[in-house]
């Protein structure tokens, strides 16, 4: 399996060669040169496999440059009930992503049972093991530099903690995360994890990461890397739970299922799109956004209009507060018949800060083949949906999953089970849960009181040179 760039001007590469990098050298995103089809016989054989065995069967189709026995071992040590232990609602830990029945034909699929209680752990935990394996083989090392406002940074730290040849430098805005989020990140005792709290906003932290990464000499000399959401291995790992959700929601492979996906950077639902292209019987992919509705607008109108920072709202489902969706280019590549010249033209506009409009093109006429529908949810909808789910189904949902359920309920069809992907646990968003339900969210027992553990964090002014010095002294 070779990987090609959506912009068509980069050499095709093997999986391990794109694992540690981000964008292709031509600015595009990597995708497999074709999607491996899944036959009916394979689907039948896969129904009933454990999550780890299913992950091995699927990932083997995308990864052919790691010996099968090694890949199997990496997957087996990633997808265990010990790693994904934070189940609730009666889900079985051995299923890794168990379904919770809300109503006839309506489910949530728990993707947030990992160490940081958000779905990013599903892929990031595998990434940690893949990085360690490939770096060991190659005798290389990497220093991951990132900025976080919460979920991504903690998922990266919990995936990379204690890994050989990997250090993580994570910048966060001082005092802007919740006490729980701070405790999650800053209480990690591992010597390869470095937390830096920048006295500024998230954007200041992000700008420092960009400045350091744009210094090509520094980047090469100190082996600076990233684990952002465009990383292909993260998308690949996410394909697995769509298959698992399908098997858990159906009795036979003749049935179809719809998935509702709370979306921001389009990474999660991109994996659903690929599962569907491989032949998983997905009737529809229901995309849900919050007030930041750039993706909902596209799927309704054909116009993709990235927003400026000033047009991006801070919402109570903060992990979906995006102005442009970094993985969206992968879908558009497929929509335009995998013609890289069209993608280059469209993203030239995006990079100039302009919108593009596909509504009058032959590409738009192809949209129905891809099974997407979309909708959006506001703060008021979120509060209403959290109350509704609690009262009617007896479950406590987080704010992002509530956005997904709101749009799912608008798009149900008789006879087609609807699976709402649960992307985080309510414990991460205490303030909104209190507003909706007047009570504290449930928190997994082993995380009780983490706020009182000792914390390791260095506070620093938003100064690029100071951050560089900090890294140089520790690598
Ligand atoms: C990251 C995240 C999302 C958005 O996922 P994308 O892959 O960026 O679309 C939704 N919900 C939660 C809780 C997240 O952490």
């Amino acid at each position: 399996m070779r990987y090609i760039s959506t912009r068509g001007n980069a050499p095709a590469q093997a999986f391990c060669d794109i694992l540690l990098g981000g964008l292709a050298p031509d600015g595009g995103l990597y995708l497999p040169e074709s999607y491996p089809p899944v036959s009916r016989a394979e689907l039948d054989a896969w129904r009933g496999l454990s999550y780890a065995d299913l992950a091995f069967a699927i990932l083997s189709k995308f990864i052919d440059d790691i010996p099968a026995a090694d890949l199997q071992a990496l997957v087996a040590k990633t997808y265990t009930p010990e790693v994904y232990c934070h189940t609730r609602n009666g889900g079985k830990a051995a299923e890794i992503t168990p379904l919770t029945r809300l109503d006839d034909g309506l489910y949530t699929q728990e993707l947030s049972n990992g160490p940081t209680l958000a779905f990013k752990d599903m892929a990031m935990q595998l990434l940690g093991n893949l990085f360690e394996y490939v770096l060991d083989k190659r005798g290389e090392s990497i220093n991951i530099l990132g900025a976080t406002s919460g979920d991504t940074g903690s998922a990266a730290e919990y995936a990379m903690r204690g890994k050989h040849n990997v250090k993580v430098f994570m910048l966060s805005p001082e005092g802007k995360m919740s006490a729980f989020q701070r405790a999650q990140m800053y209480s990690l005792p591992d010597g390869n994890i470095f937390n830096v709290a920048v006295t500024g906003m998230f954007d200041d932290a992000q700008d420092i990461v960009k400045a350091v990464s744009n210094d090509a000499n520094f980047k090469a000399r100190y082996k600076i890397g990233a684990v952002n959401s465009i990383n292909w291995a993260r998308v690949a790992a996410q394909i697995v739970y769509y298959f698992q959700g399908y098997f858990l929601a159906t009795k036979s492979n003749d049935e179809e299922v719809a998935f509702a996906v709370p979306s921001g950077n389009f990474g999660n639902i991109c994996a659903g799109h690929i599962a569907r292209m491989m032949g998983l019987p997905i009737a529809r992919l229901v995309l849900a956004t919050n007030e930041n509705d750039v993706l909902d607008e596209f799927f309704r109108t054909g116009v993709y209009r990235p927003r400026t920072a000033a047009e991006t709202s801070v919402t109570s489902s903060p992990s979906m507060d995006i102005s442009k969706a970094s993985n969206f280019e992968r879908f558009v590549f497929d929509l335009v018949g995998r013609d890289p010249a069209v993608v280059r033209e469209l993203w030239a506009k995006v990079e100039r800060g302009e919108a593009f409009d596909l509504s009058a093109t032959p590409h738009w006429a192809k949209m129905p083949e891809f099974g997407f529908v979309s909708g959006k949810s506001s703060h008021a909808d979120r509060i209403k949906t959290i109350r509704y789910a609690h009262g009617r189904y007896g479950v406590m949902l987080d704010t992002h999953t509530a956005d997904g359920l709101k749009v799912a309920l608008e798009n149900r069809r008789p006879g087609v089970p609807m699976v709402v992907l649960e992307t985080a646990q309510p414990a991460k968003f205490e303030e909104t849960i209190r507003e909706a339900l007047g009570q504290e969210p449930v928190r997994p027992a082993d995380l009780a009181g983490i706020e009182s553990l000792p914390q390791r964090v260095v506070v620093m002014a938003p100064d690029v040179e100071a951050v560089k010095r900090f890294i140089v002294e520790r690598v």
Side-chain angles (χ1 to χ4, degrees), residues 118-120 151 262-268 319-320 398 400 423-424 429:
F119 94 98
K120 304 220 166 41
D151 286 351
S263 293
N265 271 318
F266 205 80
N268 193 351
S319 299
M320 291 154 61
D398 99 286
H400 306 75
T423 55
F429 305 97

Side-chain angles (χ1 to χ4, degrees), residues 1-76:
M1 172 66 74
R2 310 286 290 174
Y3 290 87
I4 56 171
S5 164
T6 50
R7 308 231 179 137
N9 286 331
Q13 301 230 60
F15 178 83
C16 290
D17 294 324
I18 63 166
L19 174 67
L20 304 171
L23 291 176
D26 63 356
L29 305 187
Y30 286 112
L31 273 177
E33 59 196 346
S34 64
Y35 295 124
V38 174
S39 68
R40 175 61 194 252
E42 278 175 311
L43 267 190
D44 291 345
W46 290 356
R47 182 176 280 274
L49 288 185
S50 72
Y51 193 94
D53 289 344
L54 181 63
F56 174 63
I58 293 168
L59 292 171
S60 300
K61 291 183 175 282
F62 292 100
I63 306 174
D64 55 11
D65 54 344
I66 294 178
D70 292 358
L71 182 61
Q72 188 155 29
L74 289 169
V75 165

